[in-house]
Amino acid sequence: MVTQGVEAYIRQKFAEYAGLTDEQLFSDDVTLAAVIGRSPKMTNSIDLMEAFARTANALRKDYGVRVRLPALPLDTSTAAVLKVFLEEFERQQEAAG
Amino acid sequence: MSIVEATSAEATNAEATSAGAASGGARNAATAPPAIITDLYDAVTERGMSLVDVTWEQQRLHESRRWSVVELLADVDLDALTPIDRNLVWNAGRAELTTKPGADRLERQAEAECRRWQGTNPAVASIMEACGTWSRYWNEEEAHHETVFNRLADLSGMEPISDETFIAFRQVFPDDDMLRTLMLLAISEITAAVNYGQCQQVVQDPGLRRIFKQVAADEIQHRNYFISFAKALVDSGEYHAKDAFAVAHLFLREDGELQGSAREQKEDRGTHVNWWDHLDTAETDYRPEALEKKEQLICGALKKITGIEVHSRDEVEDTWLDLVGS
């Protein structure tokens, strides 16, 4: 299952760039606002945007798929962000044929 | 020619003059027409300009561009204002309320950054001090904008701004990386200048048109100052170009900050008010957008600050992604 592998990869990369554990990021409907508050590497939503960008760059480097995220409100849960990431990944992968 | 084009040309002339005068040394620069020092890092590190020299240049330009709110208001025919005119004035007044906390934040942050760099990079410390010193001129000039629009809204019978709203709009912004702060302020000035340029073309009353023209010209000067300070930080090698691109992307991206109050969902920021979130067209259905012009000017600012040329929001995103790495 490629998607399962990619999901674990995205979770790992995002956790790495946020300086948090997987549990701190993805348990109990954590919102993006909460991620900024918890992360020792983030001051505001620009840092969050950069963590997503670095995750997207890593995906492109290791999977050859370019994922672009839409602007997401800060009350979005990390689970919802992960879903968007995966949907975008699959869409771009299919488009690339 | 639109106000933005006119003021950009004015700014270009000022930059050219500044570069030429400053190359002759700090003392000679004082005899040239007043202008923004556009190559500040070089001026501090190579051309031997002291903070006294830099402050003198700031003072000369500030004095040369002063105008009177009282005099300009006297030339407005209140009875001739249309509903759109009054709505534009009301929005501008509320937006301008948020500039003082922006300037207060800049002064505080520049002071802290100056102390932080003093021991390790004196040139950056001087640039931060120059920025903090200039913030007093910026704050004073913005006071003109706030009062001219709010007094005019008041005189023309617009909905009064309550003290609660006034205080809410005065909340000081949280601190951030200094390059990101300067880029955000440059973009905010670009957005305001383009909006006022648009307003100038819509309003009929010559007195009100003169006010929008004057304020737009001030905002372009402020943009140029922010670009100068931001460029100096990148030139120092202590600040990374990716952060200027990050802020540009934040504004230009789909559903980004440039869309402001037109966005479906606004963030509940809790800490401060961003004026672009709070524009209200009321019943007039007119919004001074000109998004392409703003995009073009933001790309121009990025070129001046980082030396990297981009021409569209897609190129901004691509370059930012490249700079961020993985």
Side-chain angles (χ1 to χ4, degrees):
Chain A
M1 291 288 288
V2 174
T3 307
Q4 275 187 351
V6 171
E7 180 176 338
Y9 180 89
I10 293 171
R11 290 169 76 115
Q12 180 217 323
K13 285 293 176 188
F14 187 48
E16 180 186 333
Y17 299 138
L20 296 168
T21 64
D22 187 274
E23 189 181 25
Q24 286 173 308
L25 271 178
F26 294 103
S27 62
D28 300 332
D29 288 335
V30 175
T31 65
L32 294 179
V35 171
I36 295 171
R38 291 179 186 181
S39 170
K41 295 182 175 180
M42 293 183 186
T43 303
N44 55 35
S45 56
I46 297 179
D47 297 308
L48 183 71
M49 219 170 65
E50 184 170 313
F52 288 147
R54 294 179 70 190
T55 304
N57 281 345
L59 272 176
R60 183 166 60 160
K61 195 166 72 179
D62 289 341
Y63 288 84
V65 178
R66 177 153 202 172
V67 175
R68 290 180 190 230
L69 282 189
L72 297 163
L74 290 178
D75 60 3
T76 309
S77 71
T78 49
V81 175
L82 187 60
K83 187 166 176 280
V84 172
F85 243 122
L86 286 169
E87 286 171 355
E88 278 291 300
F89 179 85
E90 286 170 3
R91 201 166 60 84
Q92 295 299 331
Q93 197 175 39
E94 279 178 22
Chain B
M1 182 183 283
S2 75
I3 178 64
V4 172
E5 287 164 346
T7 50
S8 294
E10 174 193 342
T12 303
N13 291 338
E15 288 165 11
T17 307
S18 172
S23 64
R27 297 286 167 195
N28 291 343
T31 61
I36 296 167
I37 303 164
T38 55
D39 203 353
L40 188 55
Y41 184 74
D42 185 65
V44 169
T45 57
E46 300 296 327
R47 299 204 302 273
M49 286 188 82
S50 69
L51 283 169
V52 169
D53 298 326
V54 171
T55 305
W56 174 239
E57 292 306 310
Q58 292 177 354
Q59 178 71 26
R60 292 197 314 134
L61 184 58
H62 174 70
E63 282 189 24
S64 73
R65 305 194 70 259
R66 288 304 72 230
W67 52 280
S68 163
V69 169
V70 175
E71 286 174 14
L72 256 60
L73 279 176
D75 289 340
V76 177
D77 181 355
L78 292 175
D79 295 331
L81 300 183
T82 68
I84 287 180
D85 294 349
R86 297 193 310 141
N87 178 258
L88 294 174
V89 166
W90 186 78
N91 272 307
R94 281 164 56 96
E96 293 289 347
L97 281 175
T98 66
T99 314
K100 179 183 178 295
D104 292 346
R105 184 267 292 260
L106 185 70
E107 188 279 331
R108 183 191 64 207
Q109 201 171 305
E111 159 68 14
E113 286 285 277
C114 175
R115 303 296 160 210
R116 184 165 78 87
W117 286 108
Q118 253 185 319
T120 54
N121 193 329
V124 176
S126 292
I127 290 159
M128 293 299 183
E129 180 55 45
C131 183
T133 295
W134 174 73
S135 73
R136 63 183 166 174
Y137 299 111
W138 179 42
N139 216 343
E140 193 269 346
E141 288 167 21
E142 293 291 352
H144 284 55
H145 305 173
E146 172 192 314
T147 52
V148 77
F149 290 126
N150 284 329
R151 177 69 176 163
L152 193 48
D154 199 27
L155 291 173
S156 61
M158 293 294 293
E159 178 192 337
I161 295 174
S162 69
D163 287 356
E164 289 75 16
T165 298
F166 197 107
I167 291 169
F169 275 51
R170 286 293 208 226
Q171 292 174 97
V172 177
F173 301 179
D175 287 352
D176 192 12
D177 168 90
M178 193 57 155
L179 177 57
R180 296 199 317 210
T181 297
L182 292 168
M183 187 68 200
L184 183 142
L185 292 171
I187 295 176
S188 181
E189 299 287 4
I190 286 170
T191 307
V194 173
N195 286 358
Y196 294 145
Q198 297 288 106
C199 293
Q200 193 199 334
Q201 293 177 15
V202 171
V203 302
Q204 298 296 313
D205 180 71
L208 180 56
R209 191 178 307 127
R210 190 172 160 218
I211 289 173
F212 277 121
K213 180 178 181 179
Q214 180 65 63
V215 176
D218 281 2
E219 308 295 30
I220 287 294
Q221 288 295 323
H222 298 162
R223 173 203 67 169
N224 292 341
Y225 264 114
F226 289 126
I227 287 173
S228 164
F229 292 124
K231 171 178 161 50
L233 296 189
V234 174
D235 287 349
S236 76
E238 302 283 9
Y239 289 78
H240 199 294
K242 76 177 170 65
D243 287 313
F245 274 85
V247 179
H249 173 63
L250 182 75
F251 276 80
L252 288 171
R253 66 183 175 166
E254 190 176 351
D255 212 23
E257 299 295 304
L258 275 193
Q259 303 297 323
S261 56
R263 286 183 293 199
E264 276 188 22
Q265 180 167 346
K266 293 184 191 58
E267 297 292 355
D268 179 12
R269 301 180 192 277
T271 52
H272 64 287
V273 170
N274 282 336
W275 63 264
W276 50 83
D277 284 341
H278 291 268
L279 300 179
D280 183 358
T281 56
E283 295 93 41
T284 61
D285 201 28
Y286 173 77
R287 193 182 293 273
E289 295 283 13
L291 293 175
E292 284 184 16
K293 185 72 183 175
K294 290 169 187 169
E295 182 175 326
Q296 176 195 338
L297 289 170
I298 291 170
C299 289
L302 285 171
K303 171 78 188 316
K304 286 180 179 170
I305 292 167
T306 69
I308 301 171
E309 191 161 358
V310 285
H311 303 92
S312 67
R313 72 178 195 180
D314 286 343
E315 287 185 31
V316 168
E317 181 174 344
D318 288 343
T319 306
W320 172 62
L321 282 163
D322 289 342
L323 291 171
V324 164
S326 61

